[in-house]
DNA sequence: GATAATTGTTATGCGGTATATCAAATATCG
DNA sequence: CGATATTTGATATACCGCATAACAATTATC
């Protein structure tokens, strides 16, 4: 037998030959996830759904979705911007942002003002009510939602998780 | 003045008074994300979209979505199961699983077989073609998709990320 | 054996996302 | 200047993911 090393051989050799985690196979009515539990995208999506669900619960008294909350946050931090700029920053397409703003404006949380410089664009502003709702939402999010996340993960892990997700969202 | 300590006082005191990260404020055309970058759900969703996008690109030659890939994986690991069981494990509602199976079956990747025990249920099986496609998909996912993730994050971080996401997906 | 529960299915609606298109306003360039 | 191109907000539309109600066939329960 020769000593030829194929790519597969090399890969196998370089791997620390870890034992398969054989998912705990509890109940026989519980299916085996197999390599699904190692798929980052799979866990990512499931975690995202859970986190959004908790967000909605925590901020339910104010009737704000995560997307709406992010719009209010952005308007507060970036006064004087128009629809195109806000939408683009959030990864929302302009056509889809129209109905979103309609909903917020109909609740008197923000307003569109025609720009004097460029009469095509609408300058977006938070109303007083919008600022008040945002302030209350921030407290609910911090004290109920994020607090629970930090509790479950631990502060250090929470920070590390945030950093990794930001890296993925950027340079991937 | 008394020495009463409110909950807010305690929280403020226990916090290591960290400096605000003042997002790098580069270009003046770039908007300030503000506390948005600290919102886990926000980064979670953006990262998830990027990861799914990369998955689709890597496995494009086989024309498989993440959801379809997860179904094939589950069928392979759990032979003899019916639609209800597979769908429930993946968090897919039975009505929505029907069209998904139709698509896979029309491509001859899997098949429904009437159970002899319970003639209501359909036992799901991978076809030979389904097994072949799954095998190729696994390689693409491991060598292109997950490999890139591990490269960007580093192996240790990748493992830590996976663990934290799994924890969130479970006990949250 | 009558009633209830389960399985797969269809129909349907809602929200998120994507593209094409339009009128008004502005920018560009000959 | 004036013709053309671009930008902005908006509408219409379509597709996908996700959710509920309802149904026929089959099986379970009592």
């Amino acid at each position: 037998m020769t000593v030829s090393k194929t790519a597969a051989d090399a890969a196998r050799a370089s791997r620390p030959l870890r034992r398969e985690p054989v998912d705990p196979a509890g109940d026989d009515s519980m299916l085996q996830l197999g390599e699904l539990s190692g798929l980052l995208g799979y866990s990512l999506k499931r975690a995202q759904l859970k986190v959004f669900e908790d967000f909605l619960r925590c901020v339910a008294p104010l009737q704000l979705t995560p997307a709406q909350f992010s719009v209010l946050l952005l308007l507060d931090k970036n006064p004087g911007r128009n629809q195109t700029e806000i939408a683009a920053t959030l990864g929302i397409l302009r056509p889809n942002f129209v109905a979103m703003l309609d909903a917020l404006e109909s609740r008197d949380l923000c307003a569109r003002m025609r720009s004097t410089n460029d009469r095509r664009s609408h300058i977006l502003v938070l109303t007083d009510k919008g600022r008040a709702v945002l302030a209350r939402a921030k407290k609910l999010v911090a004290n109920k939602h994020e607090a629970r996340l930090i509790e479950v993960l631990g502060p250090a892990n929470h920070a590390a998780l945030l950093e990794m997700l930001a890296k993925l969202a950027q340079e991937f």
Side-chain angles (χ1 to χ4, degrees), chain A:
Chain A
M1 180 193 179
T2 73
V3 284
S4 74
K5 293 176 84 71
T6 68
D9 285 337
R12 229 177 296 116
S14 73
R15 225 159 297 212
L17 56 104
R18 193 168 8 197
R19 188 119 294 290
E20 274 293 324
V22 173
D23 13 19
D27 210 308
D28 103 334
S29 77
M30 192 174 305
L31 276 69
Q32 302 288 321
L33 282 189
E35 23 243 306
L36 212 50
S37 44
L39 248 194
L40 191 69
Y42 179 75
S43 298
L44 209 41
K45 172 130 195 202
R46 305 220 89 167
Q48 186 259 318
L49 289 175
K50 290 268 194 175
V51 169
F52 267 46
E53 193 182 315
D54 184 75
F55 182 100
L56 283 173
R57 246 204 9 249
C58 291
V59 85
L62 299 177
Q63 283 289 92
L64 284 182
T65 67
Q68 290 174 326
F69 179 68
S70 70
V71 169
L72 296 185
L73 262 184
L74 217 58
L75 292 189
D76 192 45
K77 271 279 178 190
N78 304 91
R81 299 297 189 153
N82 64 24
Q83 299 185 194
T84 296
E85 294 169 314
I86 299 292
T89 302
L90 292 175
I92 302 173
L93 294 175
R94 271 86 71 206
N96 299 330
F97 194 50
V98 174
M100 246 189 104
L101 270 187
D102 289 347
L104 292 177
E105 201 173 15
S106 76
R107 291 169 59 184
D108 191 33
L109 298 180
C110 70
R112 302 181 231 226
M113 301 183 46
R114 293 226 88 100
S115 166
T116 53
N117 307 331
D118 186 340
R119 292 173 40 212
R120 290 171 297 186
S121 57
H122 289 165
I123 299 305
L124 298 179
V125 293
L126 278 187
T127 62
D128 288 345
K129 184 178 172 191
R131 261 180 294 273
V133 167
L134 176 59
R136 291 184 56 199
K138 276 189 191 177
K139 286 179 190 163
L140 288 179
V141 169
N143 299 333
K144 300 204 180 303
H145 178 62
E146 298 277 355
R148 175 144 173 260
L149 280 166
I150 294 175
E151 183 192 15
V152 167
L153 294 170
N157 284 334
H158 175 266
L161 177 55
L162 209 51
E163 191 183 358
M164 286 191 270
L165 292 175
K167 171 173 266 181
L168 283 184
Q170 282 172 356
E171 56 187 284
F172 198 72

